[in-house]
Amino acid sequence: MSNAGGWRETGEGVNLAGWSLRDKIGQMVMAGFDGKAPTDEIRALIRERKLGGVIYFRRNAGSAPEVASLSAALREFAAEATKAPLWIAVDQEGGMVARLDQGVTVMPGHMALGATRSAKWARETAYASGAQLMRLGVNLNFAPCLDVNNNPANPVIGVRSFGERPELAAELGIAAIRGYREAGVVACAKHFPGHGDTVADSHRELPTVPHDRKRLEEVELLPFRLAAAAGADAIMTAHVRFPALEPDGLPATLSPRILRGLLRDEWGYDGVVFTDCLEMKAISETVGIARGAVMAVKAGADVVLVSHTPALQIAALDALYEAVVAGEIAEERIDESVRRIAGLKARQSAAVPFGPVPAARSDAGAGTDDFDFGGEAAALAREVCRRSVTLVRNERGALPLRRDVPTFVVWSEVRQGTEVDEALARELTLGRALAPYLGRVKEFRIGAVPGEDEVRETLAEIDRALEDIRERAAVRGEPGSDRTLLQVVVGTYNAAFAAGQTELVNHLLACEGVRVTAAALRNPYDFLAFPEVHAYAACYENTPCMMEALAEVLAGETEARGRLPVTLSERYPFGHGISGFRKERDGEET
């Protein structure tokens, strides 16, 4: 089989005749770049070092036609310079991790899907997302996450996991992989062997999962083993230490025992293995990026990611090249990886050939340059969101929210973003989503990690409003102590890592006449910071679609249908969820 890129696959596998060492090494590195147009640096990497893949981040995300044009330009440039088609990748997990959100429908994230318990929705949302990515020229998605999040203190996975049960992660993850494949997108399961039970973020330091081999087999490894057996095309490694698997202290990304011994030899996996980005501090501040690239390939990785810095991308490419020239890595080892990479590219291209990138539709609507992807994707996202909202607790008549009682909403927003907590402006906040059902809603905005002054000022304003309500009730001769004078909904965001959010909720709980509902806009474990809150709902993300679904539940327009995909406490275990609005009295639901 041949194509315009000048490579072919035979019955015996990919024929590498005519490939230079630079051609081969280039296929084994994926790089990112700044901006919405190809930079001189990325062009030079493709032209001179035969780069085989690029990765998009939010910095590359213009309108849908802009992204599609960028993809087309990169593919055309690579077709003239490299021996195989270009992989254009992205972290489009859905929910809270979605690099592309202009002109596309962002599907609900993993834990929202976990709350639905539906492999059908996992497959359909992956297919819908994949179909949109393909229209933008993106042919590889670093999703799904098969991490089993059973540690409330995990700072990096959380809602990026389907839940705390390995069987659930495996079932929904494999369904998602199939959905992406049906759309023509290579899915890359991550973060092998599992990043779910860590208390450190590998972007910042090198975490450890200390469990013995038996426990790892039963929990962390199970989703990856089943996905590998089901034919997953690609797997991404974790920069995490597993002493039971690698006693020398190497992270999985650099461990021959884990990548070659376990994944390749024991499991027989022959798909493409990607590393997580080597610029993460777990690698960059330990062995370093150039050395890390060499060690990862020697361990068994096929593609190394260097996502941000041109000089470091060049260093990784050159380090691999020089390691072969010096005899540290045999060229046969390089050929092994390149055959996997080029073979997968060949199969993908044969299954879903890239045609011309579509232009923006002229009938997409006045004043918009977005693609018209139709209403099916949006309808699917809405349905999944409605099925995922989970009502955990409801006492003292806190829910449904009442139209005849003043409503305040506190909205926690990320202002200083990271790769896993992106600072996204949300035009549809929870307060705005509730307004159609409750009339006038007053909304306060605080940072997800609010300072003391911000918390104090917000509470002072709420206290003044509450006192005004009390005075007016007294003038009218209405009782004050035994009735709800004010209902406050606090949209929390990773409250376990933000003392100010917890302080705010607990202060409100101490106010007489106030009914307090906490709605976890990301991490369901927020409940652990204020377990006596009157009502608690988990919705796993703060996307506009989910805010609409949450508002419907809080206002009593629809029943909550989600079930907890994680355990919050003995009373609120995995699988718990209140349908409707059953009041709790004396510790018992009635």
Side-chain angles (χ1 to χ4, degrees):
M1 174 182 176
S2 62
N3 76 352
W7 57 281
R8 60 196 176 92
E9 183 180 26
T10 70
E12 293 75 36
V14 175
N15 186 338
L16 299 180
W19 288 57
S20 70
L21 182 56
R22 281 290 184 198
D23 288 327
K24 297 174 186 178
I25 295 295
Q27 290 296 311
M28 297 178 67
V29 176
M30 178 172 281
F33 61 97
D34 289 331
K36 299 175 177 60
T39 60
D40 291 341
E41 290 85 358
I42 203 69
R43 288 177 181 271
L45 287 178
I46 295 172
R47 181 178 61 251
E48 298 168 12
R49 287 177 170 78
K50 313 303 180 183
L51 190 73
V54 299
I55 179 171
Y56 289 162
F57 287 90
R58 186 159 293 276
R59 64 198 180 204
N60 308 115
S63 67
E66 286 174 333
V67 174
S69 295
L70 173 60
S71 300
L74 290 167
R75 287 208 312 272
E76 182 178 355
F77 196 69
E80 298 172 354
T82 64
K83 298 288 188 181
L86 189 71
W87 263 331
I88 300 177
V90 72
D91 294 291
Q92 193 79 355
E93 298 170 17
M96 301 307 295
V97 180
R99 312 303 189 201
L100 308 174
D101 65 352
Q102 296 187 46
V104 302
T105 298
V106 175
M107 290 295 124
H110 288 23
M111 196 164 281
L113 286 161
T116 73
R117 301 293 196 276
S118 174
K120 170 180 180 289
W121 296 126
R123 188 170 183 168
E124 290 191 8
T125 54
Y127 176 83
S129 182
Q132 293 179 121
L133 292 176
M134 285 295 286
R135 288 197 62 190
L136 301 180
V138 176
N139 54 4
L140 192 155
N141 193 13
F142 289 122
C145 294
L146 299 188
D147 307 291
V148 180
N149 199 97
N150 47 22
N151 191 329
N154 192 312
V156 65
I157 301 300
V159 296
R160 302 169 68 198
S161 164
F162 290 109
E164 70 176 27
R165 298 284 177 90
E167 297 82 6
L168 180 65
E171 180 187 13
L172 271 59
I174 291 170
I177 289 168
R178 289 173 175 158
Y180 285 120
R181 181 183 293 150
E182 289 162 359
V185 171
V186 171
C188 183
K190 61 188 185 185
H191 306 82
F192 172 80
H195 206 325
D197 195 1
T198 65
V199 294
D201 178 355
S202 52
H203 291 85
R204 301 178 182 276
E205 56 187 297
L206 180 56
T208 299
V209 174
H211 304 298
D212 62 25
R213 178 66 183 261
K214 182 176 184 295
R215 149 60 196 254
L216 294 175
E217 292 281 2
E218 293 172 349
V219 180
E220 281 77 13
L221 293 175
L222 185 143
F224 292 99
R225 179 171 56 79
L226 295 181
D233 289 318
I235 287 176
M236 174 181 280
T237 67
H239 304 329
V240 177
R241 287 181 295 207
F242 294 80
L245 303 177
E246 174 51 86
D248 291 342
L250 294 170
T253 296
L254 308 181
S255 169
R257 288 187 177 99
I258 294 175
L259 299 191
R260 188 165 293 281
L262 174 62
L263 184 59
R264 298 291 192 202
D265 296 341
E266 288 188 36
W267 292 0
Y269 182 68
D270 197 39
V272 176
V273 173
F274 289 80
T275 73
D276 209 339
C277 178
L278 299 186
E279 292 191 56
M280 294 162 63
K281 291 183 179 180
I283 301 296
S284 64
E285 293 192 357
T286 55
V287 300
I289 289 165
R291 187 62 195 161
V294 172
M295 292 176 68
V297 169
K298 289 175 69 176
D302 299 306
V303 182
V304 298
L305 266 68
V306 187
S307 300
H308 304 290
T309 310
L312 298 176
Q313 294 159 356
I314 292 171
L317 284 156
D318 288 351
L320 289 172
Y321 183 89
E322 290 161 7
V324 177
V325 171
E328 182 179 1
I329 301 177
E331 191 162 356
E332 290 76 14
R333 166 68 193 89
I334 300 298
D335 291 350
E336 174 191 330
S337 285
V338 175
R339 286 194 174 95
R340 287 195 192 99
I341 296 163
L344 179 52
K345 287 183 175 182
R347 294 191 297 274
Q348 180 183 31
S349 182
V352 186
F354 275 118
V357 176
R361 285 176 48 132
S362 61
D363 61 345
T368 179
D369 61 356
D370 287 343
F371 285 9
D372 180 4
F373 283 105
E376 291 186 7
L380 173 63
R382 284 194 296 270
E383 181 64 20
V384 174
C385 287
R386 285 172 175 151
R387 290 175 179 268
S388 66
V389 175
T390 308
L391 183 57
V392 176
R393 177 178 171 89
N394 186 29
E395 64 171 20
R396 299 195 190 182
L399 296 177
L401 297 172
R402 292 165 51 183
R403 193 178 181 91
D404 62 337
V405 174
T407 304
F408 287 178
V409 173
V410 179
W411 173 262
S412 302
E413 56 190 3
V414 178
R415 294 170 181 170
Q416 185 67 37
T418 68
E419 287 187 8
V420 295
D421 281 304
E422 295 178 303
L424 303 176
R426 299 296 193 195
E427 291 186 6
L428 184 64
T429 60
L430 180 55
R432 292 184 179 182
L434 283 169
Y437 306 111
L438 303 177
R440 187 172 180 273
V441 174
K442 182 174 178 58
E443 187 169 71
F444 303 85
R445 295 195 179 196
I446 64 172
V449 185
E452 292 182 6
D453 290 345
E454 189 175 13
V455 172
R456 185 166 52 249
E457 290 168 5
T458 301
L459 288 173
E461 190 169 350
I462 294 174
D463 286 343
R464 285 193 296 270
L466 179 59
E467 186 59 32
D468 181 61
I469 292 169
R470 286 197 181 100
E471 290 176 359
R472 285 188 277 114
V475 169
R476 294 192 297 267
E478 298 172 353
S481 60
D482 60 349
R483 63 187 291 267
T484 300
L485 300 176
L486 177 66
Q487 50 194 3
V488 182
V489 181
V490 183
T492 64
Y493 189 100
N494 286 351
F497 305 103
Q501 292 185 46
T502 302
E503 178 187 347
L504 189 146
V505 172
N506 286 328
H507 176 93
L508 292 170
L509 286 172
C511 294
E512 188 177 87
V514 178
R515 296 293 175 261
V516 184
T517 297
L521 305 183
R522 183 171 178 133
N523 194 334
Y525 297 112
D526 288 358
F527 177 76
L528 302 178
F530 28 76
E532 299 306 314
V533 70
H534 303 141
Y536 184 74
C539 64
Y540 316 103
E541 57 196 62
N542 66 9
T543 58
C545 183
M546 189 63 81
M547 291 304 92
E548 292 177 341
L550 175 63
E552 291 175 0
V553 169
L554 298 182
E557 296 295 314
T558 187
E559 290 191 351
R561 289 183 279 180
R563 294 292 179 267
L564 281 174
V566 295
T567 294
L568 301 184
S569 67
E570 184 176 351
R571 186 178 180 188
Y572 302 111
F574 176 94
H576 173 82
I578 300 173
S579 297
F581 295 96
R582 296 174 291 173
K583 295 181 181 179
E584 297 175 337
R585 294 190 181 90
D586 300 324
E588 297 293 328
E589 292 182 1
T590 60

